[in-house]
Amino acid sequence: MNRSLLFKNLDYLFNPRTVAVLGASDNPEKLGFHVMKSLTAGGFRGIIVPVNPKTKSIMGIDTCSSIEDFSGAVDLAIIVLPAEVVPAVFQQCERKGVKGVVLISAGFREIDDPRGAALQHTLFELADRAGIPVIGPNTFGMINLRKDLNASFTPEFSLIRKGDIAVVSQSGGVSHLLGFMAMRQNAGFSKIVGLGNHLNVDFSEMVSYLMDDPDTRALALYIEGMDRPGRFMEEMKKTRFTKPVVAYKTGSSRIGNQASVSHTGSLAGRHEIYQGAFKQAGVLFVESAEMLLDAAHALAHCPLPRGKKIAILTGQAGPGMAAADVCESGGLEIACFHAKTQRLINELLGPLAMRTNPVDMGPAWYNTPAIEGTIRAVLEDDSVDAVLILMMFASANRGAVAGFSRFLLEWKQQKPVVGCLLAPPGIWDKEIDQLEAGGAMANFPTPERAAKALSILWEYQRQISRL
Amino acid sequence: MNRSLLFKNLDYLFNPRTVAVLGASDNPEKLGFHVMKSLTAGGFRGIIVPVNPKTKSIMGIDTCSSIEDFSGAVDLAIIVLPAEVVPAVFQQCERKGVKGVVLISAGFREIDDPRGAALQHTLFELADRAGIPVIGPNTFGMINLRKDLNASFTPEFSLIRKGDIAVVSQSGGVSHLLGFMAMRQNAGFSKIVGLGNHLNVDFSEMVSYLMDDPDTRALALYIEGMDRPGRFMEEMKKTRFTKPVVAYKTGSSRIGNQASVSHTGSLAGRHEIYQGAFKQAGVLFVESAEMLLDAAHALAHCPLPRGKKIAILTGQAGPGMAAADVCESGGLEIACFHAKTQRLINELLGPLAMRTNPVDMGPAWYNTPAIEGTIRAVLEDDSVDAVLILMMFASANRGAVAGFSRFLLEWKQQKPVVGCLLAPPGIWDKEIDQLEAGGAMANFPTPERAAKALSILWEYQRQISRL
């Protein structure tokens, strides 16, 4: 299949007007039930066509007995049927002019039986001839949050906030993990794509497609192993630094590597080789799901720092020290303020405060102008490349975040501002949402993770400079 | 002051029948308002005595004009008054027979002015003469969650679940951080103690006291610097391994170390020296607030593994691989099951599953007996020292956790069971609470953090064996 047809049809796949569910069910024991629930409860605004010859209607929607019975055009077919009937169904899809397929069914290349691999090869040829991009097989599906399209067997994915990070993952488990983590720390995704056994849509295709996706500002990849890593690296080099790409790869351990072969049929390969090749290709390599989410969140919300000199402005000394340790070990340095900046801060904060960098704004909790003035002075100081703002809620400082957020939102951002503003659930959520949605800063669950995210922005800046 | 008097009075301090608030206020701009709110909203069941000569009643409670005006005995005095009046107030407390003080006021050793240090020295002598243990000065206070006693200026601390971890911290900011983290991941605390500038209650006293505290199973310390580290190490060696003690120490960086001096007046000192001395004293050293909470949570809920052979039972392959990598780098090894165990698992799980360790229970999502049987077989296999259970929610496996939790609760636990059971908020919360409250397992927010927590249990076991 040529690339331009593939990408044109991927556009239909992610933005369909009509979606058919082949294997739709009203039995909660079946995945076809959950897929129908994902589409309907997720608020999809196009036409949903449940296909099931044995039932008249599912979730209040009339069924068709086959996809070809539906009178209108179908852009996306989601298939949740036993593996052995899928080739015949693919041919129906081709005749119907379906543009894209999400193939949830399992029982292909991942099983021990060689018939699985043969079946997958048959599907590959059918899809190629028909020019149909296929997400899967053996996937939970995909979600285009910006279009309220949840084409997966997990309706709860629709609870994730709409955001700028596209997740492309070789594991359904890790996609769910990232989704639930995002819910808990209010990170937002544009798309979540479960590659499964990747018939004809693999990392290379998804990365190329997402580089032109207006909804996506950063890519987060979860990788177990690759069949053709060289091809991926070539693809990456073509588009590198167009948008930041972060990768988390498991299989560094002996056991993890063996498990990868069993899981997706792909050899995980030597961890260090991947790491080196990824760096060359401009991909940022991280070591955990938390770091994958944090790095993508920072890259989606912040410009890169021009240098390594940072300011730490903290509401309490302890979290500032914790952050300072992490920043220093991540290659960042604590900026020495210009004399004018330091003078201004000394005037604004009382003599009880630690006023040199890291600046303890604690004694100014009640004093919004002092906090705002300190932040402004530091942002305007050209000896500062990035700013870390830390504030633990403590009742008495309840108003502090609202106090400085208006200024931060108005400030035309040219430096990264990363923070850990942390309160019991519900207290600062609105202010933090506004700050992140307004592009004023990226927020993280702990001071150390905020500091690490800032270190990652700097690491990425250096990676760009070297290449 | 002799130790037995100190500990007797600390008992009153943490379990008072009557609490007086010197500096109580009905003005939300004052800390004395928040302290009153903490006590009343936190549900303290003893008598609360607001002391304020200018107001008749605060939050519906009649005030006294001085502590000596109150007719009954006062066990605990919380002081939120300007530093310069505190010596006179201490003398009133002595005359009144107060057993313990929480001194929230700032303006002592931590300020640049030498009068601060002089004032602190005066207080030390007064408290010593009177035999009164003092938490603080310059602290947010302390919370005894098991007694619904919130003696701090942050009422929201009462939202933390009652649990078995005692937090002793040199930073108010880090105490708040740990509290809000605990709320988000449902960890529970017994006590939270903010040492502040530690007049006569420092880490040594708190660790000794908590070793006999029936509500506390594990201690989590946040340390910036110590005045007399040798004394702490001696104290620790006396009681080491009675209960696990985990320490997170900042100030490893140049800047962090400087900040420590300004913050608490204590030199952070060489990080490596602390690390070595702590190990000798049986204290587990960790590198972040997340690890501090995770390690204490694991140690409070699990027995230690007798060896390094673990089983990974996972609902999805990807999270299992991520966990395997972390376990391996933490010195754990993937157990090779007994032939009998493997045969049983092969029978229980279908041929589609990865059935060797790490075991992918994915295809058995719907099959509670198969999951339960697999967990049982592995727990009963004496080639397995610890078990990691991972399960990402996916709609179709909604019932899986309830399915195996009954069995886990009944199983007489002799091996650590650590898990990452993760779902959108509200879905598995009840089951996970029951599992943790029943001592059946410890749960963590990501597979990697669960694996790291298990590695920490093993590290602690080795630390014990070596000493």
Side-chain angles (χ1 to χ4, degrees), chain A residues 28-31 34 37 106-107 110-112 153-156 159 171-174 176-178 180-181 183-184 222-224 248-257 259-260 262-263 268 271 287-290 316-319 321-326 328-329 334 351-352 354 357-358 360 365-366 392-396 398 420 422-427 429 445-449, chain B residues 28-31 34 37 106-107 110-112 153-156 159 171-174 176-178 180-181 183-184 222-224 248-257 259-260 262-263 268 271 287-290 316-319 321-326 328-329 334 351-352 354 357-358 360 365-366 392-396 398 420 422-427 429 445-449:
Chain A
E29 301 273 297
K30 302 279 186 186
L31 288 181
H34 298 292
K37 201 164 158 230
E110 80 280 7
I111 63 169
D112 266 345
F153 59 58
T154 302
E156 288 76 8
L159 299 171
S171 155
V174 172
H176 284 72
L177 168 64
L178 291 168
F180 304 150
M181 286 166 65
M183 286 177 201
R184 281 179 160 74
Y222 169 73
I223 302 168
E224 291 180 355
Y248 171 36
K249 186 181 173 308
T250 55
S252 67
S253 63
R254 202 176 45 79
I255 290 294
N257 197 352
S260 170
S262 316
H263 182 212
H271 203 64
E287 301 290 342
S288 70
E290 267 186 9
Q316 293 97 348
M321 289 171 57
D325 289 354
V326 175
E328 203 167 295
S329 76
I334 305 294
L352 286 178
M354 271 164 47
N357 194 8
D360 181 359
W365 275 357
Y366 290 108
M392 305 297 117
F393 169 83
S395 249
R398 181 180 287 262
C420 173
L422 186 65
I427 293 186
D429 295 2
T446 74
E448 294 97 328
R449 284 171 66 181
Chain B
E29 301 272 297
K30 302 278 185 186
L31 288 180
H34 298 292
K37 203 168 156 223
E110 80 280 7
I111 62 170
D112 267 342
F153 59 57
T154 303
E156 289 76 7
L159 299 171
S171 155
V174 172
H176 285 72
L177 168 64
L178 291 167
F180 304 149
M181 286 166 66
M183 286 178 201
R184 283 182 159 73
Y222 169 73
I223 300 168
E224 292 180 357
Y248 170 37
K249 187 182 171 309
T250 54
S252 66
S253 63
R254 203 175 45 80
I255 289 296
N257 197 351
S260 170
S262 317
H263 183 211
H271 202 66
E287 301 289 342
S288 69
E290 265 185 11
Q316 294 96 349
M321 289 171 58
D325 289 353
V326 174
E328 203 166 296
S329 74
I334 304 295
L352 286 177
M354 271 164 48
N357 194 5
D360 181 0
W365 275 357
Y366 290 108
M392 305 297 117
F393 169 83
S395 249
R398 181 180 288 261
C420 173
L422 186 65
I427 293 186
D429 295 1
T446 73
E448 294 97 327
R449 285 172 65 181

Side-chain angles (χ1 to χ4, degrees), chain B residues 429-449:
Chain B
D429 295 1
K430 209 182 103 198
E431 286 88 346
I432 294 167
D433 287 356
Q434 283 172 343
L435 282 166
E436 293 199 318
M441 71 177 292
N443 197 54
F444 296 88
T446 73
E448 294 97 327
R449 285 172 65 181

Side-chain angles (χ1 to χ4, degrees), chain B residues 246-295:
Chain B
V246 194
Y248 170 37
K249 187 182 171 309
T250 54
S252 66
S253 63
R254 203 175 45 80
I255 289 296
N257 197 351
Q258 285 171 16
S260 170
V261 181
S262 317
H263 183 211
T264 52
S266 305
L267 195 65
R270 284 277 301 285
H271 202 66
E272 303 71 30
I273 295 175
Y274 270 96
Q275 197 161 0
F278 277 17
K279 263 196 181 162
Q280 279 298 315
V283 176
L284 201 63
F285 210 75
V286 295
E287 301 289 342
S288 69
E290 265 185 11
M291 273 180 70
L292 180 62
L293 186 57
D294 288 354

